[in-house]
Amino acid sequence: MDHFGEAVAARYDDGEGPEFVPGTIARTVDFLYAASGGGAALEFGVGTGRIALPLAGRGVPVRGIDLSRAMTDRLRAKPGGAEVPVTVGDFAQTVVPGTYALVYLVFNTLMNLPTQEAQLACFRNAARHLAPGGRFVVEVMVPELRGLPHGRNTVVFGTGPEGWAYTEYDTVTQRADCHYLRVTPDGRGSHRTVPFRYVWPAELDLMARLAGLRARERWGGWGHEPFTETSRAHVSVWQKPVGTEERVAPGSPTSA
């Protein structure tokens, strides 16, 4: 299901979170540019091109996959957007032409895949698209379970006069439903729920191994901050071995 339709896409680029700050975007692009080694890159969940467009502006050939037509329509309408080929489809399954020096997922997009099976399929799809020696880079939060008092399952992460946002956790299934409540100036309200599946760093490393990738590095942020027990997110890098056949699950992914 596409949870990023027209209503969300229309205001997505107006976001005020740290991921939209020019300095954060610059650090992200610097990191990915170095990881690509100047080779071609494939973004899973390319969205409106927040990262793809400045990365392409650095001379990296970028291609994208995204489930939302509304988001990718906005990418294509931006300056340089027509030069970034986009395939509409599920990035855990969709196959596009070519091999890439870099495949990447930013800002918790991996958690939009709501099951462990889908997340593992994403790693296998990344490995499928990587050239030998290529890297898979993922930015994702560390689960916020420390914010849950015993017996509670909700963490509020946004409050204001225009609405509220909170996450409802199921610690048995690792499902996390993010609820967004908005209030318009005329007093009307709306409620949107987006399902996620939170995932631990060690679990990601195991998924990578099952996909034939090797752990290379992990940082607390795009500026190469150390990853520690207090880090709230991480940027992890896995690499496809050189001279070793990839190990992927049998099956025929669909192209969109």
Side-chain angles (χ1 to χ4, degrees), residues 11 160-164 181-191:
R11 63 177 186 269
E162 296 182 351
W164 306 268
L181 294 88
R182 291 177 57 84
V183 179
T184 59
D186 62 2
R188 296 184 180 183
S190 66
H191 175 217

Side-chain angles (χ1 to χ4, degrees), residues 118-151:
Q119 291 171 347
L120 176 56
C122 174
F123 272 79
R124 286 175 166 151
N125 203 29
R128 183 179 288 110
H129 284 93
L130 285 171
R135 301 178 187 185
F136 184 34
V137 177
V138 173
E139 176 196 22
V140 69
M141 64 177 281
V142 175
E144 297 178 306
L145 301 190
R146 288 183 175 181
L148 288 175
H150 182 71

Side-chain angles (χ1 to χ4, degrees), residues 2-23:
D2 180 8
H3 294 279
F4 296 87
E6 183 60 37
V8 175
R11 63 177 186 269
Y12 184 82
D13 288 327
D14 298 327
E16 298 179 351
E19 68 276 13
F20 294 96
V21 174

Side-chain angles (χ1 to χ4, degrees), residues 25-39:
I25 294 174
R27 286 189 294 273
T28 305
V29 171
D30 285 346
F31 189 106
L32 295 172
Y33 178 80
S36 75

Side-chain angles (χ1 to χ4, degrees), residues 178-233:
C178 286
H179 300 274
Y180 301 88
L181 294 88
R182 291 177 57 84
V183 179
T184 59
D186 62 2
R188 296 184 180 183
S190 66
H191 175 217
R192 182 171 69 99
T193 299
V194 181
F196 294 92
R197 181 184 183 272
Y198 66 84
V199 62
W200 301 97
E203 187 181 6
L204 293 174
D205 287 339
L206 180 57
M207 291 181 186
R209 288 179 59 191
L210 292 172
L213 304 176
R214 297 176 180 172
R216 180 179 176 90
E217 54 194 272
R218 174 166 291 130
W219 303 98
W222 294 108
H224 294 90
E225 299 88 347
F227 179 69
T228 70
E229 63 178 11
T230 61
S231 297
R232 304 191 68 170

